[in-house]
Every structure is written in structure tokens, then in C-alpha cells.
Amino acid sequence: MLPLLVVTRPQPDATLWAQQLQAAGVPSHCLPLMEIGPSRSPAAQAALACALQQLDTYSALMFVSGNAVRYFADQLQTTHRVWPAQARIWTPGPGTTKALLAVGVPLAQIDQPAADAAQFDSESLWAQIQTQVRTGQRVLIVRGGDGQDAAGRGRVWLTEQLQRQGVQVDFAPVYERHPPADGAALLQDIAALRAQNALWLFSSSECVQHLRRSNPAWSWQAHTALATHPRIAQQARDAGFGTVIDTPPTVQGIVASIKSLHDLP
């Protein structure tokens, strides 16, 4: 039997991933180590309002995550706007693409990394879109409020590539990330999972950091982390995990990674 896998993504993704992993034969437990909510700062709201007023001027909209898609779609509905038909829609991977399809964006309008890309990230996306980039275009990157997580560094790299091609890049912050609510219940849950020697699945560096800070006295040397990107894997190593496995950010890839740990077919 496969070991228990702890899904640390924020809700609602944690439950969705756990359900899919359970269906694939992986016992899973939801432990969101980050909370997501709409951007509330005046600066973020002003930037978003400005971007919404200029939607028809953008050649492409880049969404950093499924949460970016969902909160942006909510804003479109609230302001009685529609998806810009003239713009290409860029996504760093299949999870974000799935979120776009769920809100009605046609697949033919979406650009994403190749299905066999080594990583689903900004660098792999660039390999697919760089030929459509032209001087004088405008691109909107829809992201979290600070853009400072490990994936955010990839977006900085993408922004630099676009600007070198003479593209104006704007940002629309649509959500904010927060640590999970503190409390004895969370610590008890983590302690119980440590005792079971569960595997930990990370798709965000911030979730690694929040786990690390939950009890700095805990050692993770005897524990195993699965990370969906090399930058996140490095954060897990820095947190002290004794074994860190790079895994594709797909259910099939995660299942294969877990089975490889236990020499299962």
C-alpha cells in the first residue's frame, strides 16, 4: 500500500488534488499551508481596475495560477466584462489551463508549455510563445499581490524577456496569499502526520516555509518531500527534508514519483 500523501496546496485546490490522487490509488490528506483571498490593498485594486479598463489593448494575458484565473474571472463578472477575444491567453501549466477552460476560455486561445516539457513554468512557456511577441505589444500578467514566491521569480524572468523585445508589461494583482490560521489544531495535525511518516507534496515555496515556521524545533531530516518545481525542491532541502523528489505537477506524475520511491510498477 502506498504511504499517506499530505497535500499542502491552498483550498479549493487541496481538496480537488486529494480527490484525484485518492482516485488514482494514493491515500491523501488535505493540510492547506496557505490561505488565498482577493487582493484588498488600494494599490492592487487600482492596478486591477486600470487593467480591466484597458483589456482590449493587450496582445496577451498571462495567468500565473488557477487562483489567478478564478479571481480574475470573478472580477470580469462583477464588472460585467467579457474575456478579451483578441488576446492570447498564456498559462505556465496544465492546472492553470484547466482553470481557464472551466471559466469558458477556448482551448484554441490558450498557449502553454509543451506536454512533454521538462518543467511547467515560465521558461517552458516562453519556448512556445516567443515567436508571437512583437515590439510595441502590451502584455498583462495576472498574479498574486506580491509576486514574491519561487514561481514569482520565474515571472520576473518572463517579464525581462518580454521587455527586451520591446513589450510593455503590466500587472494585475487579483489575490493575496496568507499563512494558515495559527492554532493548536494545525500543530496537532502536523504532529500526527509526522508520526505517520507521511509524504509531503509541495507546489509552493511559501507552503514549505509555513510548515518550517509552524515549529522551528522540528527536524524534517527523516521525512520525504515531493516538489513540483526545482525552486520549490530547493526550499524543501533548505527546510531540512532528508529526501526531496522532483515531480511533475500532474496526478500521473505524482503517482509515478511515489511508486518509484517504493519500487512499485
Side-chain angles (χ1 to χ4, degrees):
M1 182 175 177
L2 295 177
L4 182 67
L5 179 67
V6 184
V7 181
T8 63
R9 296 175 67 92
Q11 294 290 17
D13 287 344
T15 295
L16 294 173
W17 275 66
Q19 289 173 344
Q20 294 177 58
L21 288 161
Q22 288 273 160
V26 178
S28 302
H29 178 84
C30 289
L31 186 73
L33 290 175
M34 181 164 57
E35 295 181 358
I36 300 290
S39 291
R40 299 298 188 189
S41 76
Q45 292 181 342
L48 176 58
C50 183
L52 289 172
Q53 291 171 1
Q54 304 176 67
L55 274 185
D56 60 354
T57 69
Y58 292 109
S59 299
L61 276 63
M62 194 283 183
F63 290 87
V64 307
S65 66
N67 282 311
V69 172
R70 286 187 282 270
Y71 282 97
F72 187 80
D74 287 346
Q75 286 296 318
L76 289 181
Q77 185 174 24
T78 299
T79 57
H80 306 290
R81 290 181 170 87
V82 297
W83 288 89
Q86 87 289 344
R88 300 300 301 171
I89 307 297
W90 296 347
T91 162
T96 308
T97 298
K98 186 175 181 179
L100 286 164
L101 296 173
V103 297
V105 177
L107 181 60
Q109 195 176 355
I110 299 172
D111 297 305
Q112 59 184 320
D116 60 352
Q119 299 292 335
F120 294 124
D121 55 16
S122 296
E123 290 88 338
S124 296
L125 172 63
W126 179 247
Q128 301 298 313
I129 63 171
Q130 57 182 314
T131 57
Q132 61 181 261
V133 173
R134 300 287 185 272
T135 299
Q137 291 178 329
R138 302 182 71 201
V139 170
L140 179 68
I141 297 182
V142 185
R143 67 180 190 183
D146 54 28
Q148 297 302 310
D149 62 354
R153 291 194 288 274
R155 248 61 82 195
V156 170
W157 180 89
L158 179 62
T159 298
E160 292 172 348
Q161 309 314 305
L162 291 167
Q163 290 174 336
R164 286 171 185 163
Q165 298 296 324
V167 174
Q168 177 181 328
V169 181
D170 297 334
F171 300 94
V174 293
Y175 66 91
E176 296 174 349
R177 293 171 289 260
H178 304 283
D182 293 332
L186 177 65
L187 290 175
Q188 288 174 359
D189 207 356
I190 295 173
L193 293 165
R194 280 170 49 84
Q196 296 179 56
N197 204 26
L199 306 179
W200 295 78
L201 174 64
F202 295 108
S203 56
S204 167
S205 295
E206 288 172 287
C207 290
V208 179
Q209 294 162 11
H210 293 158
L211 178 67
R212 187 178 188 179
R213 294 168 186 158
S214 65
N215 187 334
W218 277 335
S219 169
W220 296 97
Q221 183 61 38
H223 299 269
T224 298
L226 281 75
T228 61
H229 193 278
R231 297 186 188 100
I232 303 170
Q234 187 56 54
Q235 288 285 330
R237 294 186 185 96
D238 292 344
F241 276 89
T243 303
V244 179
I245 307 297
D246 288 89
T247 183
T250 63
V251 171
Q252 297 84 354
I254 293 166
V255 172
S257 296
I258 294 173
K259 288 184 175 180
S260 70
L261 283 171
H262 299 273
D263 296 321
L264 296 173

